[in-house]
Amino acid sequence: MSFHRDPTPYARSWAVFGQRLRASRRKRGLTQRQLGTLLGYDHSLISRWERGKREPLGDAVQRLDEVLETGGVLASVLDEALTDRPNGHTGGHTGGHTGGHTASFVSSPSYLSSGSYPSAGSGPSFSPSVPQQILFSPMPADTSAVAGELAESHNWPSRLPNAELTCPLHGGARCPVPDFTYVFAALARCPETFPHRQDADLIHGLTALLECLVVRNRTELAQSDNAWVERVLRMVVGWAEQVNASGHPPTSQLSLSAHYAMLAGRLRRQCGQNAAAMAWFTHGMRWAEACGNVVVRASLLGELSMLARAEHDVPSTLSYARVLSALTPDRGWTRTLSHLYQARGHALTGDHGECTEQLSLARRQFEILGPRDREESPCLDGSAGLMLLEATAAGALRDLAVSTGDRSVARQAVAATHTALEHLPEGMLPSRLLLTLRLADSYACAGDRDAAREAASPSLRSASLTTRALITQELDGLRLRLG
């Protein structure tokens, strides 16, 4: 099997789609701005679609067909282009292409019900259909050195749960974790050599490795672990296939796969590779549903909402956020996050009433979170939870100020950002840089340009050098507001 694929068919698929989209829009007598207004998108996104530079997210293709009254032409053109590729690979199509139509998690009722994995012995059925060059990323050259540095600098745990992740096999039990050399020795082998059964030591070790990778991504500004995460993810999925084929349910392997897919998607989104991020998030949803892990499914819906917002896809932003709350109506943490993500979506449209109402609901729900909420969503626990709440609220208020020009809203964003910075845990360098730029931008939106420059000045060099897309987007917005 070759792991290198010619990217030309993938690019050509989107170019053909873009040409047909442009022709359909012109036939209806619409400008890009008018079409964007009808769909709730920025006109620049319409332009990128037509030039084949960006793939539509979620159910955008179906909505384009409906608005332009094409009778499904755009979806069929895209399907024909993608299904002509070798082995039927979709190249990471962001709408979740399934061979005969473009699917959307928002509109699919199966993602609101509990799932089950295929019956034992049904053969491999978990492999992702993402591009080969993404799926088969090479491990770092000096594996042993990187492994030792990772384990040593990020406090390889002796037991689970450590800070966040519980054991996929035993839940909250205090499970022993093997030495990191055992885990990396296993990863040095082929997935086919993994045991065709549950292996507690390997499960515990892979969970500990995941947490170390999560912590490193949260604390180190320049570090990127795409190669590590995606290679380990591929091996865990292969292990799930073997366990399933041997007649045993691969519940813990699929749960780990969903967790690794969530981190893989975050890393790709941080690099601005939103199509690849969507591919990982959607596959993570599939694995989480297959093993019945509702907590990971809810977390992934939040990631999908944030990804859609980054694409200025307001309808999908709101849809994912609402599904998040509907998925687990008995969980306070999902309602809190749902309100926050809805607030950020409404902010992009300048809907002051809905945005501020959703923020108010989020804050009230946050105040009454219970022990199960804090256990299932540690990011909302204690001071770190208050930081996340106020940082997200600050983003929504800043976006609302940009949309409406309301300086009083911008001053609220300033206050919320200050609160978030006060509660930011030590060592979270990427978050500190992002919030510092958000503070400066909020000052700029409030008309205080001197305060904006003073707040941003110590961080401009680091922000200019980073490759993290979320930080560069904050910097671009600040530069725009300061002229």
Side-chain angles (χ1 to χ4, degrees):
M1 174 184 289
S2 171
F3 296 158
H4 301 284
R5 301 287 296 277
D6 180 6
T8 303
Y10 179 55
R12 189 183 305 119
S13 300
W14 292 110
V16 172
F17 172 82
Q19 292 166 6
R20 187 59 61 91
L21 171 59
R22 182 183 296 109
S24 300
R25 173 180 59 78
R26 290 176 175 174
K27 184 177 180 180
R28 289 277 292 154
L30 297 172
T31 65
Q32 291 178 343
R33 188 177 296 277
Q34 289 169 333
L35 177 58
T37 300
L38 289 173
L39 294 169
Y41 298 123
D42 187 87
H43 68 91
S44 62
L45 185 57
I46 306 296
S47 173
R48 291 196 291 273
W49 288 347
E50 292 186 353
R51 290 183 287 120
K53 301 297 184 182
R54 185 64 59 85
E55 305 90 333
L57 288 172
D59 59 351
V61 178
Q62 294 97 314
R63 295 176 58 231
L64 284 167
D65 273 326
E66 292 169 3
V67 169
L68 297 175
E69 299 178 358
T70 67
V73 167
L74 295 176
S76 63
V77 168
L78 186 58
D79 280 344
E80 290 174 6
L82 291 174
T83 53
D84 281 344
R85 299 190 66 198
N87 300 325
H89 281 288
T90 66
H93 172 44
T94 57
H97 182 76
T98 56
H101 64 283
T102 306
S104 166
F105 281 154
V106 171
S107 60
S108 173
S110 67
Y111 290 95
L112 293 178
S113 60
S114 60
S116 60
Y117 38 76
S119 59
S122 60
S125 57
F126 308 118
S127 296
S129 55
V130 295
Q132 299 275 8
Q133 65 268 30
I134 292 175
L135 184 59
F136 294 101
S137 302
M139 290 289 263
D142 192 351
T143 301
S144 58
V146 174
E149 183 273 331
L150 179 65
E152 190 173 319
S153 62
H154 293 281
N155 300 318
W156 186 262
S158 59
R159 288 188 176 274
L160 296 174
N162 184 31
E164 295 185 14
L165 300 176
T166 58
C167 173
L169 277 174
H170 309 112
R174 295 288 292 168
C175 300
V177 174
D179 188 80
F180 73 90
T181 55
Y182 170 84
V183 179
F184 287 102
L187 292 176
R189 305 192 301 268
C190 297
E192 290 76 12
T193 65
F194 280 22
H196 291 194
R197 55 178 173 76
Q198 304 291 2
D199 183 295
D201 281 344
L202 190 52
I203 290 291
H204 296 157
L206 289 170
T207 304
L209 171 61
L210 175 62
E211 183 155 295
C212 286
L213 290 164
V214 169
V215 170
R216 178 150 75 168
N217 182 58
R218 187 181 295 154
T219 56
E220 297 184 20
L221 190 60
Q223 184 65 48
S224 176
D225 284 311
N226 287 17
W228 273 107
V229 173
E230 292 174 7
R231 175 67 184 274
V232 175
L233 171 54
R234 179 174 68 87
M235 299 183 82
V236 177
V237 172
W239 187 17
E241 291 175 345
Q242 292 182 89
V243 172
N244 185 63
S246 69
H248 301 284
T251 308
S252 56
Q253 288 84 358
L254 289 178
S255 181
L256 266 178
S257 297
H259 276 291
Y260 271 99
M262 184 155 54
L263 178 56
R266 288 174 184 166
L267 292 171
R268 288 290 176 176
R269 188 164 76 94
Q270 287 171 7
C271 298
Q273 299 168 346
N274 288 352
M278 174 61 85
W280 284 128
F281 290 152
T282 53
H283 284 297
M285 283 286 289
R286 174 189 173 197
W287 296 322
E289 183 179 23
C291 67
N293 193 327
V294 70
V295 174
V296 182
R297 288 170 64 195
S299 299
L300 283 162
L301 281 168
E303 298 285 352
L304 288 165
S305 181
M306 290 189 288
L307 182 60
R309 180 184 55 78
E311 292 286 330
H312 303 283
D313 182 352
V314 176
S316 293
T317 300
L318 297 176
S319 295
Y320 286 125
R322 290 165 183 154
V323 172
L324 166 61
S325 181
L327 178 66
T328 53
D330 61 330
R331 260 84 160 182
W333 70 270
T334 57
R335 291 196 295 274
T336 301
L337 294 178
S338 174
H339 291 313
L340 287 173
Y341 298 146
Q342 289 184 66
R344 294 220 65 177
H346 287 300
L348 294 179
T349 66
D351 192 333
H352 185 283
E354 278 294 332
C355 178
T356 54
E357 173 67 13
Q358 292 297 328
L359 288 179
S360 178
L361 291 171
R363 287 187 168 116
R364 289 206 296 269
Q365 186 63 61
F366 177 78
E367 291 295 330
I368 59 173
L369 291 179
R372 183 177 71 168
D373 295 311
R374 291 189 288 272
E375 179 182 340
E376 292 184 347
S377 183
C379 66
L380 286 175
D381 188 21
S383 183
L386 183 58
M387 181 278 295
L388 176 62
L389 176 76
E390 293 302 325
T392 309
L397 292 167
R398 188 276 315 277
D399 292 345
L400 183 61
V402 171
S403 300
T404 63
D406 189 333
R407 293 189 173 184
S408 65
V409 172
R411 287 191 288 273
Q412 294 176 47
V414 169
T417 311
H418 272 300
T419 302
L421 283 167
E422 289 169 3
H423 290 85
L424 182 68
E426 289 294 326
M428 294 180 64
L429 299 181
S431 294
R432 182 166 298 280
L433 180 54
L434 184 144
L435 286 173
T436 300
L437 294 174
R438 184 168 295 170
L439 175 63
D441 196 18
S442 299
Y443 274 125
C445 292
D448 194 340
R449 298 164 68 88
D450 289 339
R453 293 191 179 93
E454 182 179 353
S457 180
S459 304
L460 288 178
R461 176 174 172 78
S462 296
S464 299
L465 294 175
T466 185
T467 58
R468 295 204 177 204
L470 294 180
I471 294 175
T472 58
Q473 289 163 10
E474 291 282 343
L475 181 59
D476 290 342
L478 174 62
R479 285 171 168 163
L480 178 65
R481 251 74 76 188
L482 291 178

